[in-house]
Amino acid sequence: MRIAWIGKKSPFCGNVTYSREITNALLDKGHQVSFLHFAQEESEPENWPNLQEVPLPFIYKSQVYTIPTLKATKVLTESLRKIKPDIVHASLTLSPLDFVLPEICEELRLPLIATFHTPFAGKGAKLISGTQLLAYQLYAPFLVNYDRVIVFSQIQRELLARMGVREQNIAVIPNGVDTIKYSPGASQVKAEFKAQRLFVYQGRIAPEKNVEALLRAWKQSPMEANSKLLIVGDGPLKSSLEPFYGWEYGIIWLGFVAGEARRIEILRGADVFILPSMVEGLSLSLLEAMSSGVACLGTDVGADGEVLEKGAGIIINTKTVRSQLRTLLPVLQDHPELTTLLGQKARQRVLDRYTLSKNITLLEELYKQVLTHQPLPLTRRA
């Protein structure tokens, strides 16, 4: 199958990881993949597949959204006309091009699929961020014009359906992780940071990630000197938080870690992974930690609560993150047998439900349904 993939290669975020892992896996399955993305002068990220690339011109791009140039629509249209794919798959990048893609593909008579990553609050909750609510309201009328829309959770499917997207066109295909690459193994990270117990946060340092609640809880908890908290990532709040939560509290700021091997080594050395987000889609960082056999704490937002439910991890309430962490952090520090058990359960949950191979199988089935005009089963669940 010839696939035109439209996504991101930088700056690093969950969308970038999703595009890299899926396109790699599709190539391994023998498909032809062309990658159309907003390009800039930068060093080539590791682990990207060797495939045909088409750079799309842009004015600005960030981890959250992208502003293309006026020329980008024409470049995209002409590129698709030359590639002649069997199907177009857009990993939506919060870009104006997302809204014109249906018109372009209709003109070229190309089937079009979207993966909608925008995070949300969770079960029975209103979208916490006005920005996220706006994104759903903005996208819903345009997602109607895609042949299929991929989301990560049944809750997200129901949310879009309430906003007017036909439920028959919404497929629930959770993120998947390479369980061979992300697996338990040896690590020197604890020795490197002189830690007996190692806690890790990995993600953007941004308001919606609620990192300050974790930092304040850590600072206020009776943590031992040989317990360390690694903060892996960068973002707009890093410069304002780092001076107040530093080495003297056992908190180590690593910044953005580009190398995947290094990120895997960090996860293999961790005892506990913490994700205190206020909104999420389905966190790939969480799945990678679980697959690595790390005990995980996460909030019941997006699809993360579904991933951790029934003993695969500890689910915390977004309204009382700091107070719950103040209780849980010392317990997890003092009881390694508990974190070992939670890590085993976390990995088993990923093996049962969230492997990359299962993701690709479901994606190939969806492509075939679209190409043969088969309806999507309404009972499809992860």
XYZ file of all heavy atoms in Angstrom, residues 121 208-210 274-280 286 297-306 308 314-319 321 324:
228
model
N -9.915 16.177 29.406
C -9.833 16.040 30.859
C -10.083 14.625 31.333
O -9.312 14.081 32.109
C -10.814 16.999 31.530
N -0.359 22.694 31.652
C -1.290 21.571 31.606
C -0.682 20.275 32.143
O -1.393 19.341 32.485
C -1.803 21.352 30.179
C -0.782 20.834 29.179
C 0.040 21.931 28.516
O -0.036 23.091 28.963
O 0.762 21.627 27.547
N 0.645 20.233 32.252
C 1.307 19.035 32.778
C 1.364 19.029 34.305
O 1.701 18.001 34.900
C 2.719 18.912 32.199
C 2.754 18.703 30.688
C 2.103 17.395 30.276
C 2.253 17.129 28.790
N 1.653 15.848 28.385
N 1.088 20.177 34.932
C 0.926 20.234 36.388
C 2.189 19.798 37.136
O 2.110 19.210 38.221
C -0.265 19.364 36.817
C -0.850 19.760 38.154
O -0.705 20.901 38.588
N -1.514 18.830 38.809
N 5.997 9.384 37.229
C 4.871 10.200 37.682
C 4.435 11.143 36.561
O 5.250 11.861 35.985
C 5.244 11.022 38.931
C 5.786 10.098 40.021
C 4.039 11.813 39.445
C 6.472 10.834 41.157
N 3.128 11.141 36.267
C 2.573 12.028 35.252
C 1.344 12.727 35.848
O 0.238 12.187 35.824
C 2.188 11.234 34.003
C 1.829 12.043 32.761
C 3.027 12.864 32.282
C 1.351 11.133 31.641
N 1.517 13.960 36.387
C 0.437 14.630 37.115
C -0.437 15.543 36.255
O -1.014 16.505 36.747
C 1.211 15.449 38.149
C 2.480 15.825 37.439
C 2.798 14.678 36.503
N -0.571 15.246 34.965
C -1.207 16.139 33.999
C -2.652 16.486 34.337
O -3.386 15.674 34.916
C -1.177 15.510 32.604
O 0.127 15.199 32.216
N -3.063 17.679 33.903
C -4.454 18.096 34.010
C -5.265 17.667 32.798
O -6.479 17.485 32.873
C -4.538 19.617 34.170
C -3.781 20.148 35.373
S -4.385 19.473 36.922
C -5.917 20.359 37.106
N -4.620 17.541 31.636
C -5.253 17.022 30.417
C -4.240 16.146 29.688
O -3.043 16.371 29.767
C -5.745 18.154 29.467
C -6.887 18.928 30.072
C -4.604 19.111 29.100
N -4.732 15.140 28.995
C -3.884 14.261 28.182
C -4.721 13.695 27.045
O -5.950 13.793 27.053
C -3.325 13.099 29.010
C -2.139 13.427 29.891
C -0.844 13.660 29.119
O -0.798 13.341 27.910
O 0.120 14.153 29.722
N 3.963 7.692 29.199
C 3.419 6.783 30.209
C 3.514 5.337 29.732
O 3.948 4.444 30.479
C 1.973 7.150 30.514
C 1.214 6.220 31.465
C 1.861 6.220 32.845
C -0.261 6.621 31.559
N 2.369 6.377 38.298
C 1.281 7.165 38.859
C 0.830 8.141 37.788
O 1.656 8.804 37.150
C 1.736 7.975 40.077
C 1.890 7.283 41.428
C 3.117 6.385 41.413
C 2.008 8.316 42.534
N -0.467 8.250 37.583
C -0.980 9.196 36.606
C -2.363 9.665 36.994
O -3.067 9.015 37.779
N -2.761 10.790 36.445
C -4.089 11.323 36.712
C -5.114 10.680 35.785
O -4.783 10.181 34.713
C -4.097 12.843 36.523
O -3.375 13.176 35.323
C -3.443 13.545 37.697
N -6.363 10.727 36.217
C -7.447 10.130 35.431
C -7.922 11.129 34.384
O -9.030 11.653 34.445
C -8.598 9.730 36.360
C -9.637 8.879 35.648
O -9.383 8.482 34.495
O -10.698 8.627 36.233
N -7.045 11.400 33.427
C -7.363 12.331 32.346
C -7.092 11.653 31.019
O -6.281 10.733 30.925
C -6.545 13.640 32.454
C -6.912 14.409 33.711
C -5.049 13.365 32.416
N -7.779 12.147 29.968
C -7.622 11.509 28.676
C -7.888 10.023 28.794
O -8.822 9.589 29.456
N -7.031 9.241 28.156
C -7.153 7.784 28.260
C -6.187 7.197 29.278
O -6.125 5.980 29.447
C -6.907 7.152 26.885
N -5.427 8.049 29.979
C -4.421 7.542 30.914
C -5.043 6.732 32.047
O -4.475 5.741 32.501
C -3.600 8.702 31.491
C -2.662 9.317 30.457
O -2.653 8.829 29.308
O -1.957 10.276 30.793
N -6.217 7.181 32.522
C -6.888 6.438 33.587
C -7.261 5.026 33.151
O -7.168 4.076 33.939
N -7.687 4.882 31.891
C -8.023 3.561 31.365
C -6.799 2.657 31.331
O -6.880 1.459 31.598
C -8.596 3.681 29.953
C -9.926 4.427 29.873
C -10.406 4.563 28.437
O -9.926 3.796 27.583
O -11.239 5.445 28.187
N -4.213 2.735 33.337
C -3.728 2.387 34.668
C -4.743 1.657 35.536
O -4.399 1.187 36.626
C -3.293 3.666 35.403
C -2.103 4.419 34.807
C -1.939 5.769 35.487
C -0.825 3.599 34.925
N -1.205 3.508 39.717
C -1.941 4.279 40.711
C -2.546 5.497 40.033
O -1.838 6.281 39.397
C -1.026 4.714 41.865
C -0.472 3.475 42.576
C -1.770 5.602 42.853
C 0.547 3.791 43.658
N -3.863 5.641 40.166
C -4.582 6.762 39.543
C -4.851 7.812 40.612
O -5.395 7.498 41.674
C -5.906 6.280 38.923
C -5.638 5.170 37.898
C -6.642 7.444 38.276
C -6.900 4.492 37.383
N -4.480 9.053 40.324
C -4.694 10.137 41.271
C -5.666 11.157 40.695
O -5.764 11.331 39.481
C -3.372 10.812 41.691
C -2.557 11.258 40.470
C -2.539 9.857 42.533
C -1.230 11.886 40.819
N -6.373 11.823 41.587
C -7.402 12.794 41.200
C -6.762 14.134 40.879
O -5.914 14.631 41.634
C -8.399 12.939 42.360
C -9.644 13.710 41.966
O -9.561 14.835 41.497
N -10.802 13.093 42.165
N -7.178 14.744 39.776
C -6.578 16.019 39.365
C -6.825 17.138 40.372
O -6.060 18.100 40.425
C -7.136 16.462 37.999
O -8.569 16.498 38.059
C -6.703 15.511 36.896
N -7.871 17.019 41.185
C -8.204 18.102 42.122
C -7.306 18.098 43.360
O -7.213 19.119 44.049
C -9.669 17.981 42.546
C -10.654 18.183 41.404
C -12.095 18.035 41.883
C -13.077 18.220 40.732
N -14.484 18.042 41.185
N -3.902 16.575 43.488
C -2.648 15.938 43.084
C -1.582 16.106 44.159
O -0.930 15.136 44.577
C -2.149 16.517 41.746
C -0.720 16.059 41.458
C -3.062 16.075 40.602
N -2.255 14.102 47.454
C -2.124 12.655 47.243
C -0.661 12.257 47.076
O -0.224 11.233 47.613
C -2.927 12.238 46.011
C -4.434 12.309 46.202
C -5.156 12.042 44.886
O -5.465 10.921 44.559
N -5.425 13.095 44.144
